[in-house]
Amino acid sequence: MTTATVRPGIADRLSQMIRLPTVSAELEERGSGPFEDFVALIAELYPLTHEKLRLERHTDFGLLFRWAGRGGASDGPLVLMAHYDVVPVDESDAWTHPPFDGVIADGSVHGRGTLDDKGPLIVVLEAVENLLADGFVPARDVYLSFGGNEETYGRAAEEIARVLRERGIVPWLVVDEGGAVVDAPLPFVPGRAAMIGVGEKGVMTLRLSARGEGGHASAPPSMTAVRRIARAVDRLGPATFRPHASTAIRRMLTQLAAQTPGPARHLLRLLGSAPLLTARLFAALGGEPAALVRTTVAPTMQSGGTAANVLPSQASATVNLRIGLGETTRQTVFRVRRRIRDPLVAVEVVEASEPSPESPTDNAQFALLAEALEVSHPGVPAVPYVMMAATDSRHLHRFSPAVYRFAPLDMSNAQRASIHGVDESVEIAALERGERFHRALLERLQCASTRRCAPRSVTEQGEDLG
């Protein structure tokens, strides 16, 4: 077992990454320069990784590093995923520190991308670089898959997944962004938990459009194009889709019951064994609990008209849906049309991605995640849940049976709210723990394959902590 020493300066290295505005949604305005600068930066910051691992470029934004392991060619690899693009910043928002300055203050690194997803990306690179410095060779091949357009659907990761599948490479384990180490995972559940996404909801964007009689606004017909679209959107309320408690949700509740004292423990056990009751209760709670058990519908854009006193001849609305596990995109479109109940409203699928399968929690791969957590976050249990947002890993989950969505970073409720929002930041101590997680994950690959390694001793863990 190697005992690498964490290199100083992880905060400074992340700060340099944050200062590159790799905003994929603003590619036309900013150009590809920041993305190429990012690729050059990681080559500079992680020289051993670039010397020892083979790098392939897929599309303009996909980076695939291969670290050859000791195992045979038939052994499936470990794939560690992350993305280096970020979402735009609303210039009207008041950030405490400028979002692309990468300010280091109060024990944290501040800026857009510190949590989503350059923070999770850097802890992967840190662990690999540290292990390479010790001469470590993994038990099986390891791939680092970094995409530069995850926030705009993830074509780079889609191409990387296609290439791996074409080569007959079936990953043994895939770890991407998603859950985190959080406090009070449910309102009545105390303590910390590492929430690991074992599946993710599908994504669909629909455009609703209608035509109507144009003319002067002084004599409107009873049903204008705008009113028709407004009525269609209104009919797509929260109850459009029936709630359903997936296997992952039931496993989550059962796991959380084990760490919850008092009457709440019995309630969690009951909910874990009663899916119909769980679905109805979570749906009634609204917000995140409701999103865990049903397909959600969110109108996001609406347009129509050219002047205040002119009836538009056409109007449209864009609707974003997150499709629950166990449902399909085809069923979703059928349900939307049925709820709208208006043949004069056209429903166009702009983009769609099916929900992922669910990965098991009773396998060696999930056990390996729990063992790595015991090194980086002692005493924090690994708890399965459903990822509500989309990740690049969905492209690999079509053919890889063990895909988990977990960034090994501590995140408070405020930090989670800052993702895609204001004042995004990550604690330096959390980055250091994240590096330890990935180092332990890589070190214990052989243990996971043979199940012959003894549990790590307190002394070994203390050595890792430096």
Side-chain angles (χ1 to χ4, degrees), residues 25-47:
E26 297 175 350
L27 185 61
E28 290 187 6
E29 302 95 310
R30 295 180 182 270
S32 61
F35 296 85
E36 291 303 322
D37 290 344
F38 186 89
V39 176
L41 177 65
I42 61 173
E44 174 188 337
L45 298 179
Y46 301 95

Side-chain angles (χ1 to χ4, degrees), residues 278-293:
T278 299
R280 290 173 182 171
L281 176 61
F282 276 43
L285 290 173
E288 283 193 5
L292 286 171
V293 297

Side-chain angles (χ1 to χ4, degrees), residues 72-310:
S74 61
D75 291 346
L78 164 64
V79 180
L80 301 176
M81 303 184 72
H83 65 88
Y84 58 96
D85 63 320
V86 300
V87 295
V89 171
D90 188 333
E91 297 298 334
S92 66
D93 289 336
W95 285 63
T96 303
H97 302 284
F100 293 113
D101 279 13
V103 171
I104 302 172
D106 305 318
S108 296
V109 183
H110 301 261
R112 174 63 83 221
T114 49
L115 294 174
D116 185 19
D117 189 40
K118 292 177 179 177
L121 183 149
I122 200 173
V123 296
V124 171
L125 285 171
E126 292 284 320
V128 171
E129 191 79 3
N130 289 334
L131 287 170
L132 286 169
D134 268 12
F136 176 81
V137 179
R140 60 176 73 225
D141 283 3
V142 175
Y143 286 88
L144 313 182
S145 176
F146 300 150
N149 51 18
E150 190 273 347
E151 300 291 1
T152 54
Y153 190 76
R155 296 295 182 189
E158 185 177 38
E159 176 62 13
I160 287 173
R162 187 195 67 77
V163 168
L164 291 178
R165 191 169 191 176
E166 189 177 74
R167 295 174 182 174
I169 298 171
V170 179
W172 179 77
L173 168 63
V174 177
V175 183
D176 195 6
E177 63 169 335
V181 177
V182 302
D183 290 316
L186 290 176
F188 46 87
V189 176
R192 296 197 299 164
M195 305 304 293
I196 299 177
V198 297
E200 69 180 61
K201 300 175 78 172
V203 183
M204 176 179 285
T205 300
L206 299 178
R207 181 177 294 113
L208 314 181
S209 58
R211 301 193 66 86
E213 295 181 17
H216 202 283
S218 61
S222 59
M223 184 61 69
T224 65
V226 169
R227 186 179 178 193
R228 189 176 294 277
I229 288 297
R231 186 179 68 177
V233 169
D234 185 61
R235 287 175 173 171
L236 297 176
T240 298
F241 293 90
R242 297 184 182 93
H244 166 72
S246 65
T247 301
I249 297 302
R250 301 199 298 273
R251 284 186 290 182
M252 176 189 76
L253 294 169
T254 301
Q255 177 77 27
L256 291 175
Q259 68 183 78
T260 304
R265 170 178 294 186
H266 303 295
L267 173 60
L268 288 169
R269 284 178 176 169
L270 172 62
L271 293 174
S273 61
L276 290 178
L277 175 62
T278 299
R280 290 173 182 171
L281 176 61
F282 276 43
L285 290 173
E288 283 193 5
L292 286 171
V293 297
R294 67 158 41 128
T295 295
T296 57
V297 186
T300 54
M301 295 187 289
Q302 200 159 347
S303 65
T306 57
N309 61 345
V310 177

Side-chain angles (χ1 to χ4, degrees), residues 201-204 295 321-325 327-329 332 353 355:
K201 300 175 78 172
V203 183
M204 176 179 285
T295 295
L321 300 96
R322 303 300 168 120
I323 305 169
L325 274 62
E327 300 183 24
T328 67
T329 54
T332 301
S353 178

